[in-house]
Amino acid sequence: MNQQTMTNQPFLNTSAFIRSVAMWVIAWGGTVAFVSYQGQPGILCLTPMAWLLAVPVGLNYVAFSDGKPGRNPFLAGALAGATLGLIFGLLAWGLGSYMMPADPNEVGKLGMREIGLIFTGGGIVIGALLSGMMARVAAARQRRGHTIRAVTVQ
């Protein structure tokens, strides 16, 4: 892929974006919903670890784009990772506020709403950086002729 073909591409490959983000949102969201339904809402505390799923999101974005990851793969991958972090944070905020209500006797401590907002902000930034860097590396390897395979959930 040379500079001429890169400038003819759209900013974002929408199909690859949706496929790469949706796969991991469904996997993590389903896990959190199932485990929380079983009476263990503490799984929401693993949300920062789930931000690492932004790495395969960036890789899958490039793999699903069929050689057309967009004009700037880093920005497109960062947008995918930020979307993933936003959804994970909102999941922690919404489900955590419902499943783990604040105790009125605990004054001066962070409640699940505040923690969920921290998870949302942190997830957006960390997800964008991880996914953007992975998309940039994968696109560079793809331009050099390497085949990029998607990471899938079995």
XYZ file of all heavy atoms in Angstrom, residues 62-101:
284
model
N -7.532 -3.528 11.830
C -6.705 -3.609 10.622
C -6.975 -4.914 9.874
O -7.081 -4.929 8.648
C -5.211 -3.464 10.979
C -4.333 -3.694 9.761
C -4.945 -2.090 11.566
N -7.121 -6.016 10.599
C -7.365 -7.310 9.952
C -8.709 -7.325 9.228
O -8.816 -7.870 8.125
C -7.315 -8.428 10.989
N -9.739 -6.756 9.828
C -11.071 -6.746 9.216
C -11.200 -5.731 8.093
O -12.160 -5.771 7.333
C -12.144 -6.454 10.263
C -12.347 -7.544 11.276
C -12.790 -7.241 12.544
C -12.091 -8.874 10.969
C -12.986 -8.237 13.496
C -12.287 -9.872 11.911
C -12.730 -9.551 13.169
N -10.252 -4.820 7.971
C -10.366 -3.768 6.962
C -9.934 -4.214 5.568
O -10.057 -3.441 4.612
C -9.555 -2.543 7.385
O -8.178 -2.848 7.378
N -9.427 -5.421 5.436
C -9.026 -5.978 4.138
C -8.071 -5.070 3.367
O -8.250 -4.792 2.190
C -10.256 -6.280 3.283
C -11.138 -7.342 3.888
O -10.597 -8.267 4.502
O -12.372 -7.233 3.751
N -7.048 -4.594 4.068
C -6.032 -3.768 3.420
C -6.409 -2.303 3.267
O -5.664 -1.540 2.672
N -7.537 -1.887 3.798
C -7.955 -0.483 3.712
C -8.335 0.029 5.101
O -9.500 0.264 5.392
C -9.144 -0.347 2.766
C -8.815 -0.759 1.351
C -10.005 -0.630 0.452
C -9.644 -1.106 -0.938
N -10.777 -1.078 -1.833
N -7.317 0.210 5.980
C -7.623 0.623 7.351
C -7.940 2.106 7.505
O -8.224 2.552 8.605
C -6.350 0.260 8.112
C -5.274 0.357 7.101
C -5.902 -0.061 5.802
N -7.896 2.852 6.439
C -8.176 4.282 6.523
C -6.911 5.094 6.336
O -5.813 4.566 6.260
N -7.086 6.408 6.240
C -5.940 7.282 6.003
C -4.950 7.283 7.149
O -3.755 7.382 6.943
C -6.421 8.715 5.749
C -6.930 8.906 4.343
C -7.343 10.332 4.131
N -8.804 10.309 4.081
C -9.583 11.290 4.391
N -9.094 12.427 4.772
N -10.879 11.171 4.309
N -5.446 7.228 8.374
C -4.574 7.229 9.537
C -4.991 6.085 10.458
O -5.896 6.249 11.277
C -4.665 8.576 10.255
C -3.610 8.732 11.312
O -3.059 7.762 11.808
N -3.325 9.974 11.660
N -4.345 4.923 10.340
C -4.742 3.771 11.149
C -4.650 4.025 12.644
O -5.430 3.491 13.413
C -3.782 2.669 10.722
C -3.292 3.076 9.388
C -3.299 4.573 9.372
N -3.689 4.865 13.080
C -3.587 5.145 14.514
C -4.846 5.835 15.026
O -5.401 5.434 16.050
C -2.364 6.009 14.826
C -2.297 6.405 16.278
C -1.800 5.511 17.215
C -2.755 7.635 16.717
C -1.762 5.845 18.562
C -2.718 7.980 18.057
C -2.215 7.082 18.981
N -5.314 6.857 14.332
C -6.509 7.564 14.795
C -7.757 6.691 14.729
O -8.597 6.739 15.621
C -6.715 8.843 13.982
C -5.722 9.963 14.251
C -5.999 11.155 13.343
C -5.750 10.383 15.698
N -7.872 5.904 13.680
C -9.030 5.009 13.567
C -9.002 3.950 14.664
O -10.025 3.669 15.299
C -9.056 4.353 12.185
N -7.836 3.378 14.919
C -7.712 2.401 16.003
C -7.938 3.041 17.360
O -8.552 2.441 18.248
N -7.448 4.277 17.534
C -7.665 4.982 18.795
C -9.144 5.263 19.021
O -9.635 5.162 20.148
C -6.866 6.283 18.806
N -9.844 5.584 17.972
C -11.291 5.814 18.096
C -12.003 4.521 18.489
O -12.910 4.525 19.326
C -11.850 6.357 16.781
C -13.299 6.790 16.772
C -13.536 7.904 17.780
C -13.693 7.262 15.382
N -11.576 3.404 17.933
C -12.169 2.112 18.298
C -11.874 1.781 19.761
O -12.762 1.337 20.503
C -11.638 1.006 17.379
N -10.649 1.998 20.195
C -10.290 1.731 21.588
C -10.998 2.656 22.558
O -11.404 2.236 23.643
N -11.150 3.921 22.178
C -11.870 4.870 23.033
C -13.341 4.479 23.150
O -13.938 4.584 24.228
C -11.728 6.280 22.482
N -13.910 3.999 22.063
C -15.303 3.536 22.102
C -15.433 2.333 23.024
O -16.371 2.239 23.822
C -15.781 3.182 20.685
O -15.623 4.320 19.844
C -17.229 2.742 20.686
N -14.491 1.415 22.939
C -14.488 0.251 23.816
C -14.380 0.681 25.279
O -15.136 0.208 26.133
C -13.332 -0.678 23.450
C -13.272 -1.992 24.201
C -14.247 -2.981 23.579
C -11.864 -2.542 24.171
N -13.456 1.585 25.583
C -13.291 2.073 26.950
C -14.522 2.791 27.460
O -14.900 2.653 28.629
N -15.173 3.561 26.591
C -16.399 4.255 26.971
C -17.503 3.259 27.321
O -18.173 3.389 28.351
C -16.858 5.177 25.844
C -18.196 5.874 26.033
C -18.112 6.883 27.166
C -18.638 6.538 24.749
N -17.680 2.262 26.491
C -18.741 1.274 26.733
C -18.449 0.478 28.006
O -19.350 0.252 28.824
C -18.908 0.352 25.506
C -19.450 1.164 24.334
C -19.831 -0.818 25.828
C -19.433 0.430 23.014
N -17.191 0.067 28.212
C -16.840 -0.664 29.431
C -17.059 0.199 30.670
O -17.530 -0.275 31.698
C -15.394 -1.146 29.385
C -15.149 -2.313 28.481
C -13.871 -2.798 28.309
C -16.173 -2.940 27.792
C -13.613 -3.876 27.490
C -15.943 -4.016 26.955
C -14.643 -4.493 26.815
N -16.682 1.468 30.587
C -16.865 2.369 31.719
C -18.330 2.610 32.029
O -18.729 2.629 33.194
N -19.128 2.802 30.992
C -20.561 3.003 31.213
C -21.221 1.742 31.773
O -22.143 1.826 32.589
C -21.241 3.441 29.916
C -20.887 4.843 29.419
C -21.552 5.122 28.085
C -21.246 5.892 30.442
N -20.731 0.594 31.349
C -21.237 -0.665 31.897
C -20.921 -0.750 33.393
O -21.791 -1.099 34.201
C -20.632 -1.854 31.149
C -21.044 -3.250 31.605
C -22.518 -3.487 31.292
C -20.182 -4.290 30.922
N -19.694 -0.416 33.771
C -19.306 -0.440 35.186
C -20.088 0.599 35.977
O -20.532 0.329 37.101
C -17.808 -0.199 35.327
N -20.273 1.759 35.409
C -20.999 2.827 36.095
C -22.466 2.454 36.296
O -22.997 2.557 37.400
C -20.885 4.127 35.303
C -21.628 5.262 35.908
C -21.288 5.969 37.027
C -22.844 5.831 35.434
N -22.220 6.938 37.269
C -23.191 6.872 36.304
C -23.674 5.553 34.360
C -24.327 7.645 36.131
C -24.802 6.322 34.182
C -25.124 7.356 35.065
N -23.119 2.018 35.235
C -24.543 1.711 35.318
C -24.837 0.476 36.148
O -25.674 0.503 37.055
N -24.139 -0.604 35.867
C -24.385 -1.854 36.594
C -23.891 -1.756 38.035
O -24.534 -2.265 38.953
C -23.716 -3.020 35.867
C -24.207 -4.418 36.203
C -25.706 -4.545 35.936
C -23.449 -5.441 35.393
N -22.777 -1.067 38.235
C -22.243 -0.906 39.591
C -23.138 -0.060 40.464
O -23.327 -0.352 41.648
N -23.708 0.981 39.907
C -24.629 1.824 40.673
C -25.880 1.051 41.051
O -26.461 1.289 42.115
C -25.011 3.059 39.864
O -23.871 3.831 39.590
N -26.299 0.140 40.199
C -27.498 -0.646 40.463
C -27.228 -1.795 41.432
O -27.984 -2.031 42.370
C -28.062 -1.188 39.151
C -29.244 -2.101 39.320
C -30.484 -1.597 39.710
C -29.119 -3.466 39.118
C -31.562 -2.437 39.886
C -30.195 -4.320 39.285
C -31.419 -3.798 39.669
O -32.488 -4.626 39.846
N -26.134 -2.527 41.187
C -25.850 -3.737 41.969
C -25.150 -3.458 43.303
O -25.244 -4.259 44.224
C -24.978 -4.702 41.152
C -25.613 -5.194 39.872
S -26.926 -6.359 40.123
C -26.050 -7.802 40.647
N -24.409 -2.354 43.373
C -23.670 -2.024 44.590
C -24.012 -0.600 45.028
O -23.211 0.316 44.842
C -22.168 -2.167 44.347
C -21.733 -3.575 44.039
S -19.958 -3.737 43.886
C -19.726 -3.331 42.166
N -25.197 -0.377 45.588
C -25.583 0.975 45.986
C -24.685 1.498 47.110
O -24.116 0.725 47.882
C -27.028 0.816 46.456
C -27.175 -0.615 46.790
C -26.206 -1.367 45.920
